[in-house]
Amino acid sequence: MGSNDRVTYHARAAAFMVGAVLMFAIGDTLTKLATQRSDIVPVLFIRAAAGLTIIYIFSFFSKIEIPKRIIYDPLLIARAFLFVATIGLFALGFKYSSFTGFYIVFFVILPCSAFVVDWYIFKKKPAISSILPIALMLCGIIFVHRQNYMDAFQPASIISAATAAAYATYLGFSSYINEKRTYNPLAQVVPNFAYGGFVLLLLSAIAPDSRTNLFEIILSPNSFVGIILAGFFSTSGLILLNRATAYDSAGRIAPYEYTVVIYAVFIDNYLFGVPVTIDLVIGAVVVATGAIWLSKIHQTEPSPRQD
């Protein structure tokens, strides 16, 4: 495939990825607001149930068929359990950390994890030139925590790193599934919510506090509607994300996740009252600069999706 076609595919992947990030940012904000008042597990269960309902409503009106065989597809089932682990880590990270603090660590680990995933799944070795932008992003982390370097090793930072590794694995696995299967992107996410919702419901039933909290949320109109909206935006983001992985690999689309830094700083300051310090701004700019540099390097490399 020619270089112009590769650029076109990459541009489509980038557009879908940026849209996915915006949807996730809104959904995550609503989820964070909900988990400040409630347990994480019942919140994620209601969000998953809302997502599954929204998918079937949309497929009905858009006349998109969702084949029954996807429920029994072993690849999609495996990804569904990976999905549960990933959203659980995201929710846990957002509950105990600010958005900006979470994403600064997340974004340094994400490309490194994505390179490993691409190497393992697609046998694509990372470019040596990628080392410098990643090193620059690490410098951004160091600058943010220069007053107390041990902050980088707090539980919240460790959760952020683990989330990045899980998310990169999800991206890579989604790319692999798109090579092996031809399902519609809307249909692909059904097992995520079906199996994920079942696991979360089971966890809610086992834990007495979560079970009680689940009924409290359902009986509280404001909380319930907020989580339903979180499910809508998160589901929209997941569909766009799956669409992006159909056009490019994890390593090449992961850098576009960095656009969420803009939303994170705004959300933290205006909704959660987190002060925007000069160290935080400079560190975020340095990390974002490294991400843009890294994305430029990726754009010059052949994509394993179209070669």
Side-chain angles (χ1 to χ4, degrees), residues 7-76:
V7 170
T8 300
Y9 275 107
H10 184 77
R12 289 176 183 175
F16 283 121
M17 198 65 180
V18 171
V21 169
L22 176 59
M23 295 295 102
F24 283 140
I26 298 173
D28 289 339
T29 301
L30 293 170
T31 301
K32 181 178 175 70
L33 288 169
T35 56
Q36 287 183 334
R37 301 185 296 268
S38 310
D39 291 341
I40 291 176
V41 173
V43 168
L44 292 181
F45 165 69
I46 295 173
R47 200 176 86 165
L52 186 62
T53 304
I54 290 164
I55 287 172
Y56 275 101
I57 291 173
F58 184 81
S59 66
F60 176 78
F61 286 105
S62 59
K63 297 181 179 180
I64 296 175
E65 182 183 358
I66 299 179
K68 294 181 179 178
R69 67 181 184 275
I70 63 171
I71 296 297
Y72 311 106
D73 191 313
L75 287 179
L76 296 183

Side-chain angles (χ1 to χ4, degrees), residues 167-186:
Y167 185 64
T169 305
Y170 181 90
L171 286 176
F173 200 33
S174 295
S175 292
Y176 177 77
I177 289 173
N178 279 308
E179 282 196 342
K180 301 297 182 181
R181 302 289 189 268
T182 57
Y183 300 127
N184 181 280
L186 183 71

Side-chain angles (χ1 to χ4, degrees), residues 94-116:
F94 292 146
K95 186 177 179 68
Y96 297 108
S97 176
S98 67
F99 276 116
T100 310
F102 175 90
Y103 278 122
I104 285 178
V105 176
F106 177 89
F107 285 144
V108 173
I109 304 300
L110 180 62
C112 301
S113 301
F115 288 148
V116 173

Side-chain angles (χ1 to χ4, degrees), residues 138-147 149 278-280 282-283:
L138 286 173
C139 289
I141 288 283
I142 292 171
F143 192 85
V144 169
H145 296 291
R146 67 192 181 99
Q147 301 296 333
Y149 292 116
I278 188 65
D279 287 358
L280 184 63
I282 293 175

Side-chain angles (χ1 to χ4, degrees), residues 86-229:
T86 303
I87 64 170
L89 286 169
F90 265 112
L92 197 61
F94 292 146
K95 186 177 179 68
Y96 297 108
S97 176
S98 67
F99 276 116
T100 310
F102 175 90
Y103 278 122
I104 285 178
V105 176
F106 177 89
F107 285 144
V108 173
I109 304 300
L110 180 62
C112 301
S113 301
F115 288 148
V116 173
V117 170
D118 279 352
W119 195 350
Y120 181 77
I121 294 179
F122 299 109
K123 310 303 179 186
K124 176 179 175 290
K125 295 182 179 180
I128 299 299
S129 55
S130 300
I131 295 175
L132 289 177
I134 290 176
L136 181 62
M137 288 188 283
L138 286 173
C139 289
I141 288 283
I142 292 171
F143 192 85
V144 169
H145 296 291
R146 67 192 181 99
Q147 301 296 333
N148 186 359
Y149 292 116
M150 291 308 295
D151 286 347
F153 300 97
Q154 295 298 316
S157 297
I158 295 172
I159 292 171
S160 299
T163 307
Y167 185 64
T169 305
Y170 181 90
L171 286 176
F173 200 33
S174 295
S175 292
Y176 177 77
I177 289 173
N178 279 308
E179 282 196 342
K180 301 297 182 181
R181 302 289 189 268
T182 57
Y183 300 127
N184 181 280
L186 183 71
Q188 270 198 34
V189 301
V190 169
N192 283 2
F193 293 111
Y195 288 104
F198 174 76
V199 171
L200 291 166
L201 178 61
L202 188 62
L203 291 174
S204 295
I206 292 173
D209 290 341
S210 294
R211 184 170 61 249
T212 303
N213 200 229
L214 176 61
F215 289 112
E216 290 175 351
I217 293 171
I218 294 174
L219 295 174
S220 174
N222 291 337
S223 298
F224 189 67
V225 171
I227 299 171
I228 295 295
L229 289 174

